Amino acid sequence: KKAQIGVIGLAVMGKNLALNIESRGFTVGVYNRHRNRTDEMMRDHSDKKLVPSYTLEDFVNSLEKPRRILMMVKAGAGTDAVIDQLLPLLDKGDVLIDGGNTNFHDTMARNAKLDKSGINFIGMGVSGGELGALHGPALMPGGQKEAYDLVAPILTQIAAKAKDGKPCVTYIGPNGAGHYVKMIHNGIEYGDEELIDESYNIMRNVLGLSVPEMADIFAEWNKGELDSYLIEITADILSRQDDLGSGKPIVDMILDRGANKGTGKWSSETALDGGAPQSVITEAVYARYISMMKKERVAASKVLPEDVEKVNLTDEEKQEYIEKIRQALYFGKVMSYAQGFEQMRIDGQRYDWNLKFGELAQIWREGCIIRAQFLQKITDAFAKNPDLDNLLLDDYFKEIAGKYQKAIREVVAMSIKAGIPVPAFAAAINYYDSYRAEVLPANLLQAQRDYFGAHTYERTDRKGNFHYSWYEEQ
Ligand code: NDP
């Protein structure tokens, strides 16, 4: 019997996705460049409906037609290498899925190239890490709609299920739309993490709370409107002791250098390209970059002068501040998602993808790293108004912005006075104040541009482009 789908690349993600697919009753062909991973998988799972192959020719022949192939290989050169080897072996109508963390520009190019040979190409974002892959990830497939329909019966079964039973997968749009949306997901994830990390830093270094106290606070926050995977794991992390015997909380033993694999950077680059003001996520990327400069920071900490206000709060005031930080965090999250969805609106138009924003929030409710109760509110907002320009204009988000802005203003001001950096919090409130500003100082900017470069300016009282004679006496 031929396999119904094949998986190429049996490292942690490919192996777990193959096992997930098999567990839903499908026969799965499996192949890996070096046979050791295939052998290991067959040894550990000899009872499963897996069909191993050791050459790409045998693998392709082991699949029923039209073939459905999921690649889970290293993004970039690895993906190109596999596509080039596969191409001569495939037939028109076959569906090739790239489930790696691929840049959406690459996916657009590959989709166009393969389309010429009649091969369908789906670029699919996969979120949820290795456990998500095994038990139910969030899936973001983009490519030919007919090709999606051929793989949808499998994808809907392996995807995570939200509380209302809906699978966390939907057809995102043509060519690079799936990988694009996964990139935005990752950018939003950077923003969420940075906002949480700043909250921790304020509680720790302005309020002077201990690690166990903060573990309890995050656990408490997770019961309310902040309920989400990232808050949940933060509470858990802060409750853990070092496993190498220092007797300290593990966070205190972890070096403060924040690494990244580039998807947040792609998200910010794309925002700059498209003219989307995505400052919260971009500050999160910068925060990781400056954290990596540990040596420089240590040296600077010894020489750069400090003139800050010491914050001395009573226990009662501290409790009030904890609630203010919670509100600031939620406000920041709302701004970050408003920016992320605004960016998707701008880019969706730019690339003609017809993105369904409500569905995007819907498939992020489970399986992926940013899963949260909050996403239901976004789905609801777009259900009410699919053409919503900005989430902030929805009643629910407008109300949150109204209620919580006082808290974030206070928290940001206090942190800055105390010398504790809050770049994402500050970006959030600045975005809010800029977005709702009827007048910004860009009038002066236009005058400057016209002055030095004769770039012209528009007027408030009549149409057209004007140039002022800056160099003549009036
Ligand atoms: P890796 O990204 O570490 O990739 C290893 C796999 O790629 C191996 O199967 C390897 O084969 C194969 N490979 C690399 N180069 C080539 C090549 N030139 N030709 C053929 N095969 C090649 O594995 P992961 O499982 O971590 O990730 C797979 C993909 O999924 C990546 O694109 C990753 O970005 C993405 N992803 C990962 C997540 C995670 O949490 N890890 C989450 C979501 C997506 P060999 O064994 O022969 O070296």
Side-chain angles (χ1 to χ4, degrees):
K1 188 173 172 254
K2 298 244 175 188
Q4 290 151 296
I5 183 169
V7 176
I8 301 181
L10 303 176
V12 50
M13 291 300 288
K15 181 178 78 177
N16 283 354
L17 280 169
L19 291 173
N20 182 351
I21 298 170
E22 194 275 345
S23 75
R24 314 289 162 167
F26 297 99
T27 303
V28 186
V30 290
Y31 170 84
N32 194 72
R33 175 180 54 176
H34 293 105
R35 70 171 290 159
N36 57 324
R37 289 196 204 267
T38 318
D39 287 339
E40 196 182 300
M41 183 159 182
M42 294 315 294
R43 196 177 57 235
D44 295 345
H45 302 281
S46 55
D47 55 328
K48 307 254 164 72
K49 297 181 297 298
L50 300 172
V51 182
S53 295
Y54 296 93
T55 66
L56 270 180
E57 287 80 1
D58 287 349
F59 170 77
V60 165
N61 288 326
S62 76
L63 306 176
E64 63 177 44
K65 293 182 184 176
R67 299 182 184 88
R68 298 179 281 199
I69 298 174
L70 171 59
M71 287 188 294
M72 290 306 298
V73 301
K74 212 173 178 59
T79 308
D80 274 327
V82 173
I83 293 176
D84 288 345
Q85 291 160 35
L86 266 180
L87 199 52
L89 307 174
L90 298 180
D91 295 314
K92 278 196 167 61
D94 287 350
V95 182
L96 185 57
I97 307 173
D98 170 17
N101 261 334
T102 298
N103 186 299
F104 78 95
H105 292 295
D106 292 347
T107 302
M108 290 175 86
R110 287 171 185 149
N111 182 282
K113 182 177 142 196
L114 288 170
D115 202 39
K116 288 205 185 88
S117 336
I119 312 290
N120 294 301
F121 187 71
I122 292 183
M124 180 169 77
V126 179
S127 179
E130 54 179 296
L131 284 182
L134 185 59
H135 300 297
L139 300 173
M140 293 151 253
Q144 293 86 351
K145 176 69 169 67
E146 317 82 74
Y148 173 74
D149 291 338
L150 286 172
V151 292
I154 298 176
L155 300 185
T156 44
Q157 287 207 45
I158 64 166
K161 306 287 176 300
K163 286 197 187 79
D164 59 6
K166 294 221 171 92
C168 292
V169 59
T170 189
Y171 174 66
I172 306 284
N175 52 67
H179 274 138
Y180 169 84
V181 164
K182 169 70 192 322
M183 175 192 79
I184 298 293
H185 162 285
N186 283 28
I188 287 177
E189 178 189 318
Y190 274 51
D192 274 351
E193 288 158 356
E194 174 64 17
L195 290 165
I196 293 173
D197 300 343
E198 288 179 16
S199 305
Y200 151 90
N201 204 25
I202 303 165
M203 288 196 275
R204 181 154 214 182
N205 292 312
V206 183
L207 301 190
L209 300 185
S210 71
V211 175
E213 281 172 323
M214 289 185 285
D216 291 344
I217 290 166
F218 279 106
E220 195 57 38
W221 288 358
N222 198 42
K223 294 179 190 155
E225 55 198 359
L226 281 168
D227 176 2
S228 60
Y229 173 70
L230 284 168
I231 296 280
E232 177 192 330
I233 66 165
T234 302
D236 191 28
I237 290 164
L238 295 174
S239 72
R240 300 296 185 99
Q241 291 297 110
D242 181 13
D243 53 353
L244 296 182
S246 68
K248 290 193 177 154
I250 181 66
V251 272
D252 286 355
M253 304 311 294
I254 297 176
L255 194 64
D256 55 334
R257 296 178 75 227
N260 82 91
K261 283 189 175 171
T263 41
K265 182 191 81 164
W266 292 348
S267 196
S268 296
E269 283 173 346
T270 310
L272 284 171
D273 287 343
Q278 185 238 54
S279 54
V280 179
I281 291 166
T282 305
E283 285 294 357
V285 176
Y286 291 155
R288 292 192 190 196
Y289 290 176
I290 201 158
S291 81
M292 289 300 282
M293 305 163 86
K294 176 76 178 176
K295 249 184 154 166
E296 271 183 62
R297 289 190 287 116
V298 171
S301 73
K302 301 200 163 60
V303 296
L304 292 184
E306 173 182 283
D307 182 1
V308 300
E309 262 178 38
K310 190 122 190 67
V311 176
N312 275 316
L313 300 174
T314 65
D315 282 349
E316 204 184 323
E317 286 167 335
K318 270 190 197 169
Q319 290 309 317
E320 284 170 19
Y321 256 106
I322 291 166
E323 170 57 15
K324 284 176 191 164
I325 295 166
R326 189 195 69 81
Q327 293 181 6
L329 175 52
Y330 198 57
F331 181 99
K333 193 175 165 84
V334 169
M335 294 310 135
S336 176
Y337 282 69
Q339 292 183 348
F341 276 81
E342 184 171 60
Q343 182 181 354
M344 290 198 285
R345 178 174 57 78
I346 291 170
D347 289 332
Q349 283 163 4
R350 193 152 67 109
Y351 293 109
D352 206 10
W353 281 332
N354 190 23
L355 299 177
K356 309 260 186 321
F357 306 111
E359 285 182 24
L360 301 181
Q362 192 169 307
I363 65 164
W364 288 343
R365 290 178 303 168
E366 281 298 333
C368 63
I369 306 299
I370 63 170
R371 59 185 183 259
Q373 188 197 292
F374 163 81
L375 287 157
Q376 184 63 46
K377 304 284 188 201
I378 300 182
T379 302
D380 295 345
F382 284 108
K384 264 189 275 168
N385 178 8
D387 299 322
L388 194 61
D389 274 341
N390 189 306
L391 272 183
L392 291 173
L393 302 173
D394 172 73
D395 286 344
Y396 171 77
F397 294 104
K398 205 190 297 174
E399 190 196 321
I400 294 294
K403 274 198 315 198
Y404 290 175
Q405 60 182 286
K406 191 158 187 280
I408 193 166
R409 291 183 199 287
E410 244 184 89
V411 169
V412 166
M414 175 181 71
S415 303
I416 289 177
K417 278 187 202 162
I420 299 302
V422 283
F425 271 17
I429 185 66
N430 279 317
Y431 172 72
Y432 183 68
D433 285 340
S434 298
Y435 187 74
R436 64 181 194 84
E438 192 183 339
V439 179
L440 287 170
N443 50 347
L444 177 57
L445 170 72
Q446 286 301 86
Q448 291 159 335
R449 296 179 66 247
D450 188 53
Y451 196 115
F452 61 68
H455 295 303
T456 75
Y457 66 92
E458 292 174 301
R459 294 183 60 90
T460 55
D461 61 349
R462 60 186 93 166
K463 287 211 177 311
N465 291 313
F466 294 83
H467 172 57
Y468 188 89
S469 324
W470 300 105
Y471 302 108
E472 284 166 27
E473 286 294 339
Q474 293 303 310

PDB file of all heavy atoms in Angstrom, residues 215-237:
ATOM      1  N   ALA A 215       6.897  34.893  40.911  1.00  0.00           N
ATOM      2  CA  ALA A 215       6.288  33.644  40.399  1.00  0.00           C
ATOM      3  C   ALA A 215       4.809  33.622  40.756  1.00  0.00           C
ATOM      4  O   ALA A 215       3.954  33.307  39.916  1.00  0.00           O
ATOM      5  CB  ALA A 215       7.002  32.433  41.003  1.00  0.00           C
ATOM      6  N   ASP A 216       4.497  33.996  41.993  1.00  0.00           N
ATOM      7  CA  ASP A 216       3.092  34.008  42.432  1.00  0.00           C
ATOM      8  C   ASP A 216       2.273  35.045  41.668  1.00  0.00           C
ATOM      9  O   ASP A 216       1.117  34.807  41.316  1.00  0.00           O
ATOM     10  CB  ASP A 216       3.000  34.313  43.932  1.00  0.00           C
ATOM     11  CG  ASP A 216       3.538  33.158  44.765  1.00  0.00           C
ATOM     12  OD1 ASP A 216       3.678  32.052  44.202  1.00  0.00           O
ATOM     13  OD2 ASP A 216       3.826  33.366  45.967  1.00  0.00           O
ATOM     14  N   ILE A 217       2.896  36.195  41.430  1.00  0.00           N
ATOM     15  CA  ILE A 217       2.172  37.269  40.720  1.00  0.00           C
ATOM     16  C   ILE A 217       1.832  36.839  39.288  1.00  0.00           C
ATOM     17  O   ILE A 217       0.692  36.980  38.832  1.00  0.00           O
ATOM     18  CB  ILE A 217       3.007  38.573  40.724  1.00  0.00           C
ATOM     19  CG1 ILE A 217       3.057  39.141  42.154  1.00  0.00           C
ATOM     20  CG2 ILE A 217       2.444  39.606  39.748  1.00  0.00           C
ATOM     21  CD1 ILE A 217       4.105  40.220  42.367  1.00  0.00           C
ATOM     22  N   PHE A 218       2.795  36.261  38.589  1.00  0.00           N
ATOM     23  CA  PHE A 218       2.514  35.816  37.208  1.00  0.00           C
ATOM     24  C   PHE A 218       1.456  34.707  37.211  1.00  0.00           C
ATOM     25  O   PHE A 218       0.591  34.663  36.334  1.00  0.00           O
ATOM     26  CB  PHE A 218       3.788  35.365  36.495  1.00  0.00           C
ATOM     27  CG  PHE A 218       4.597  36.509  35.934  1.00  0.00           C
ATOM     28  CD1 PHE A 218       5.779  36.920  36.530  1.00  0.00           C
ATOM     29  CD2 PHE A 218       4.154  37.192  34.803  1.00  0.00           C
ATOM     30  CE1 PHE A 218       6.515  37.983  36.015  1.00  0.00           C
ATOM     31  CE2 PHE A 218       4.876  38.258  34.283  1.00  0.00           C
ATOM     32  CZ  PHE A 218       6.072  38.659  34.883  1.00  0.00           C
ATOM     33  N   ALA A 219       1.531  33.822  38.211  1.00  0.00           N
ATOM     34  CA  ALA A 219       0.531  32.739  38.280  1.00  0.00           C
ATOM     35  C   ALA A 219      -0.860  33.341  38.470  1.00  0.00           C
ATOM     36  O   ALA A 219      -1.839  32.902  37.866  1.00  0.00           O
ATOM     37  CB  ALA A 219       0.875  31.781  39.411  1.00  0.00           C
ATOM     38  N   GLU A 220      -0.916  34.384  39.294  1.00  0.00           N
ATOM     39  CA  GLU A 220      -2.192  35.073  39.538  1.00  0.00           C
ATOM     40  C   GLU A 220      -2.679  35.772  38.251  1.00  0.00           C
ATOM     41  O   GLU A 220      -3.853  35.671  37.880  1.00  0.00           O
ATOM     42  CB  GLU A 220      -1.957  36.103  40.655  1.00  0.00           C
ATOM     43  CG  GLU A 220      -3.203  36.677  41.293  1.00  0.00           C
ATOM     44  CD  GLU A 220      -4.134  35.612  41.883  1.00  0.00           C
ATOM     45  OE1 GLU A 220      -3.624  34.616  42.458  1.00  0.00           O
ATOM     46  OE2 GLU A 220      -5.356  35.767  41.709  1.00  0.00           O
ATOM     47  N   TRP A 221      -1.762  36.453  37.580  1.00  0.00           N
ATOM     48  CA  TRP A 221      -2.119  37.150  36.327  1.00  0.00           C
ATOM     49  C   TRP A 221      -2.655  36.163  35.289  1.00  0.00           C
ATOM     50  O   TRP A 221      -3.488  36.510  34.467  1.00  0.00           O
ATOM     51  CB  TRP A 221      -0.895  37.870  35.742  1.00  0.00           C
ATOM     52  CG  TRP A 221      -0.487  39.086  36.524  1.00  0.00           C
ATOM     53  CD1 TRP A 221      -1.122  39.593  37.630  1.00  0.00           C
ATOM     54  CD2 TRP A 221       0.628  39.947  36.280  1.00  0.00           C
ATOM     55  NE1 TRP A 221      -0.465  40.703  38.081  1.00  0.00           N
ATOM     56  CE2 TRP A 221       0.607  40.948  37.269  1.00  0.00           C
ATOM     57  CE3 TRP A 221       1.637  39.962  35.326  1.00  0.00           C
ATOM     58  CZ2 TRP A 221       1.563  41.965  37.329  1.00  0.00           C
ATOM     59  CZ3 TRP A 221       2.590  40.966  35.369  1.00  0.00           C
ATOM     60  CH2 TRP A 221       2.563  41.959  36.361  1.00  0.00           C
ATOM     61  N   ASN A 222      -2.120  34.943  35.329  1.00  0.00           N
ATOM     62  CA  ASN A 222      -2.527  33.957  34.331  1.00  0.00           C
ATOM     63  C   ASN A 222      -3.990  33.527  34.494  1.00  0.00           C
ATOM     64  O   ASN A 222      -4.560  32.911  33.610  1.00  0.00           O
ATOM     65  CB  ASN A 222      -1.606  32.734  34.396  1.00  0.00           C
ATOM     66  CG  ASN A 222      -1.692  31.897  33.142  1.00  0.00           C
ATOM     67  OD1 ASN A 222      -1.731  32.431  32.033  1.00  0.00           O
ATOM     68  ND2 ASN A 222      -1.776  30.589  33.303  1.00  0.00           N
ATOM     69  N   LYS A 223      -4.569  33.885  35.630  1.00  0.00           N
ATOM     70  CA  LYS A 223      -5.981  33.523  35.844  1.00  0.00           C
ATOM     71  C   LYS A 223      -6.931  34.550  35.238  1.00  0.00           C
ATOM     72  O   LYS A 223      -8.124  34.323  35.141  1.00  0.00           O
ATOM     73  CB  LYS A 223      -6.276  33.404  37.344  1.00  0.00           C
ATOM     74  CG  LYS A 223      -5.536  32.259  38.010  1.00  0.00           C
ATOM     75  CD  LYS A 223      -5.882  32.237  39.499  1.00  0.00           C
ATOM     76  CE  LYS A 223      -4.985  31.276  40.247  1.00  0.00           C
ATOM     77  NZ  LYS A 223      -4.873  31.661  41.672  1.00  0.00           N
ATOM     78  N   GLY A 224      -6.393  35.709  34.873  1.00  0.00           N
ATOM     79  CA  GLY A 224      -7.268  36.783  34.375  1.00  0.00           C
ATOM     80  C   GLY A 224      -7.120  37.020  32.880  1.00  0.00           C
ATOM     81  O   GLY A 224      -6.868  36.086  32.118  1.00  0.00           O
ATOM     82  N   GLU A 225      -7.258  38.287  32.479  1.00  0.00           N
ATOM     83  CA  GLU A 225      -7.264  38.590  31.045  1.00  0.00           C
ATOM     84  C   GLU A 225      -5.913  38.366  30.368  1.00  0.00           C
ATOM     85  O   GLU A 225      -5.843  38.303  29.143  1.00  0.00           O
ATOM     86  CB  GLU A 225      -7.766  40.030  30.801  1.00  0.00           C
ATOM     87  CG  GLU A 225      -6.998  41.080  31.554  1.00  0.00           C
ATOM     88  CD  GLU A 225      -7.752  42.427  31.670  1.00  0.00           C
ATOM     89  OE1 GLU A 225      -8.861  42.562  31.147  1.00  0.00           O
ATOM     90  OE2 GLU A 225      -7.197  43.325  32.324  1.00  0.00           O
ATOM     91  N   LEU A 226      -4.843  38.195  31.146  1.00  0.00           N
ATOM     92  CA  LEU A 226      -3.531  37.907  30.552  1.00  0.00           C
ATOM     93  C   LEU A 226      -3.308  36.413  30.304  1.00  0.00           C
ATOM     94  O   LEU A 226      -2.263  36.011  29.775  1.00  0.00           O
ATOM     95  CB  LEU A 226      -2.410  38.425  31.464  1.00  0.00           C
ATOM     96  CG  LEU A 226      -2.108  39.920  31.406  1.00  0.00           C
ATOM     97  CD1 LEU A 226      -1.202  40.321  32.568  1.00  0.00           C
ATOM     98  CD2 LEU A 226      -1.445  40.286  30.084  1.00  0.00           C
ATOM     99  N   ASP A 227      -4.277  35.592  30.697  1.00  0.00           N
ATOM    100  CA  ASP A 227      -4.206  34.133  30.555  1.00  0.00           C
ATOM    101  C   ASP A 227      -3.597  33.726  29.209  1.00  0.00           C
ATOM    102  O   ASP A 227      -4.186  33.957  28.159  1.00  0.00           O
ATOM    103  CB  ASP A 227      -5.641  33.582  30.677  1.00  0.00           C
ATOM    104  CG  ASP A 227      -5.709  32.068  30.443  1.00  0.00           C
ATOM    105  OD1 ASP A 227      -4.648  31.456  30.230  1.00  0.00           O
ATOM    106  OD2 ASP A 227      -6.821  31.520  30.478  1.00  0.00           O
ATOM    107  N   SER A 228      -2.387  33.127  29.264  1.00  0.00           N
ATOM    108  CA  SER A 228      -1.700  32.747  28.025  1.00  0.00           C
ATOM    109  C   SER A 228      -0.555  31.801  28.337  1.00  0.00           C
ATOM    110  O   SER A 228      -0.077  31.720  29.475  1.00  0.00           O
ATOM    111  CB  SER A 228      -1.117  33.994  27.340  1.00  0.00           C
ATOM    112  OG  SER A 228      -0.187  34.614  28.209  1.00  0.00           O
ATOM    113  N   TYR A 229      -0.106  31.122  27.302  1.00  0.00           N
ATOM    114  CA  TYR A 229       0.995  30.183  27.451  1.00  0.00           C
ATOM    115  C   TYR A 229       2.259  30.872  27.984  1.00  0.00           C
ATOM    116  O   TYR A 229       2.918  30.371  28.892  1.00  0.00           O
ATOM    117  CB  TYR A 229       1.267  29.531  26.095  1.00  0.00           C
ATOM    118  CG  TYR A 229       2.487  28.665  26.036  1.00  0.00           C
ATOM    119  CD1 TYR A 229       2.533  27.437  26.702  1.00  0.00           C
ATOM    120  CD2 TYR A 229       3.605  29.057  25.312  1.00  0.00           C
ATOM    121  CE1 TYR A 229       3.661  26.633  26.646  1.00  0.00           C
ATOM    122  CE2 TYR A 229       4.740  28.262  25.249  1.00  0.00           C
ATOM    123  CZ  TYR A 229       4.765  27.058  25.916  1.00  0.00           C
ATOM    124  OH  TYR A 229       5.876  26.274  25.861  1.00  0.00           O
ATOM    125  N   LEU A 230       2.589  32.059  27.430  1.00  0.00           N
ATOM    126  CA  LEU A 230       3.847  32.705  27.831  1.00  0.00           C
ATOM    127  C   LEU A 230       3.819  33.192  29.286  1.00  0.00           C
ATOM    128  O   LEU A 230       4.839  33.161  29.971  1.00  0.00           O
ATOM    129  CB  LEU A 230       4.199  33.846  26.869  1.00  0.00           C
ATOM    130  CG  LEU A 230       4.763  33.377  25.520  1.00  0.00           C
ATOM    131  CD1 LEU A 230       4.820  34.526  24.514  1.00  0.00           C
ATOM    132  CD2 LEU A 230       6.158  32.757  25.686  1.00  0.00           C
ATOM    133  N   ILE A 231       2.653  33.648  29.764  1.00  0.00           N
ATOM    134  CA  ILE A 231       2.562  34.043  31.174  1.00  0.00           C
ATOM    135  C   ILE A 231       2.655  32.791  32.056  1.00  0.00           C
ATOM    136  O   ILE A 231       3.344  32.792  33.088  1.00  0.00           O
ATOM    137  CB  ILE A 231       1.234  34.786  31.453  1.00  0.00           C
ATOM    138  CG1 ILE A 231       1.166  36.102  30.684  1.00  0.00           C
ATOM    139  CG2 ILE A 231       1.043  35.019  32.965  1.00  0.00           C
ATOM    140  CD1 ILE A 231       1.911  37.269  31.278  1.00  0.00           C
ATOM    141  N   GLU A 232       2.019  31.737  31.599  1.00  0.00           N
ATOM    142  CA  GLU A 232       2.031  30.482  32.361  1.00  0.00           C
ATOM    143  C   GLU A 232       3.459  29.951  32.522  1.00  0.00           C
ATOM    144  O   GLU A 232       3.881  29.611  33.633  1.00  0.00           O
ATOM    145  CB  GLU A 232       1.159  29.457  31.618  1.00  0.00           C
ATOM    146  CG  GLU A 232       1.126  28.075  32.256  1.00  0.00           C
ATOM    147  CD  GLU A 232       0.497  27.046  31.299  1.00  0.00           C
ATOM    148  OE1 GLU A 232      -0.377  27.423  30.477  1.00  0.00           O
ATOM    149  OE2 GLU A 232       0.889  25.877  31.375  1.00  0.00           O
ATOM    150  N   ILE A 233       4.219  29.924  31.408  1.00  0.00           N
ATOM    151  CA  ILE A 233       5.577  29.376  31.553  1.00  0.00           C
ATOM    152  C   ILE A 233       6.469  30.336  32.344  1.00  0.00           C
ATOM    153  O   ILE A 233       7.389  29.910  33.028  1.00  0.00           O
ATOM    154  CB  ILE A 233       6.236  28.982  30.200  1.00  0.00           C
ATOM    155  CG1 ILE A 233       6.511  30.192  29.298  1.00  0.00           C
ATOM    156  CG2 ILE A 233       5.414  27.922  29.463  1.00  0.00           C
ATOM    157  CD1 ILE A 233       7.465  29.860  28.146  1.00  0.00           C
ATOM    158  N   THR A 234       6.175  31.628  32.282  1.00  0.00           N
ATOM    159  CA  THR A 234       6.971  32.592  33.062  1.00  0.00           C
ATOM    160  C   THR A 234       6.790  32.313  34.562  1.00  0.00           C
ATOM    161  O   THR A 234       7.769  32.298  35.326  1.00  0.00           O
ATOM    162  CB  THR A 234       6.552  34.032  32.725  1.00  0.00           C
ATOM    163  OG1 THR A 234       6.716  34.240  31.322  1.00  0.00           O
ATOM    164  CG2 THR A 234       7.393  35.047  33.476  1.00  0.00           C
ATOM    165  N   ALA A 235       5.550  32.086  34.982  1.00  0.00           N
ATOM    166  CA  ALA A 235       5.286  31.758  36.391  1.00  0.00           C
ATOM    167  C   ALA A 235       6.045  30.497  36.768  1.00  0.00           C
ATOM    168  O   ALA A 235       6.683  30.417  37.826  1.00  0.00           O
ATOM    169  CB  ALA A 235       3.785  31.564  36.612  1.00  0.00           C
ATOM    170  N   ASP A 236       6.010  29.505  35.883  1.00  0.00           N
ATOM    171  CA  ASP A 236       6.682  28.236  36.163  1.00  0.00           C
ATOM    172  C   ASP A 236       8.198  28.439  36.253  1.00  0.00           C
ATOM    173  O   ASP A 236       8.853  27.971  37.184  1.00  0.00           O
ATOM    174  CB  ASP A 236       6.314  27.223  35.070  1.00  0.00           C
ATOM    175  CG  ASP A 236       6.750  25.813  35.441  1.00  0.00           C
ATOM    176  OD1 ASP A 236       6.825  25.528  36.659  1.00  0.00           O
ATOM    177  OD2 ASP A 236       7.046  25.012  34.546  1.00  0.00           O
ATOM    178  N   ILE A 237       8.745  29.173  35.281  1.00  0.00           N
ATOM    179  CA  ILE A 237      10.197  29.421  35.260  1.00  0.00           C
ATOM    180  C   ILE A 237      10.641  30.070  36.577  1.00  0.00           C
ATOM    181  O   ILE A 237      11.625  29.653  37.197  1.00  0.00           O
ATOM    182  CB  ILE A 237      10.566  30.341  34.072  1.00  0.00           C
ATOM    183  CG1 ILE A 237      10.410  29.604  32.744  1.00  0.00           C
ATOM    184  CG2 ILE A 237      11.986  30.903  34.236  1.00  0.00           C
ATOM    185  CD1 ILE A 237      10.362  30.509  31.514  1.00  0.00           C
TER     186      ILE A 237
END
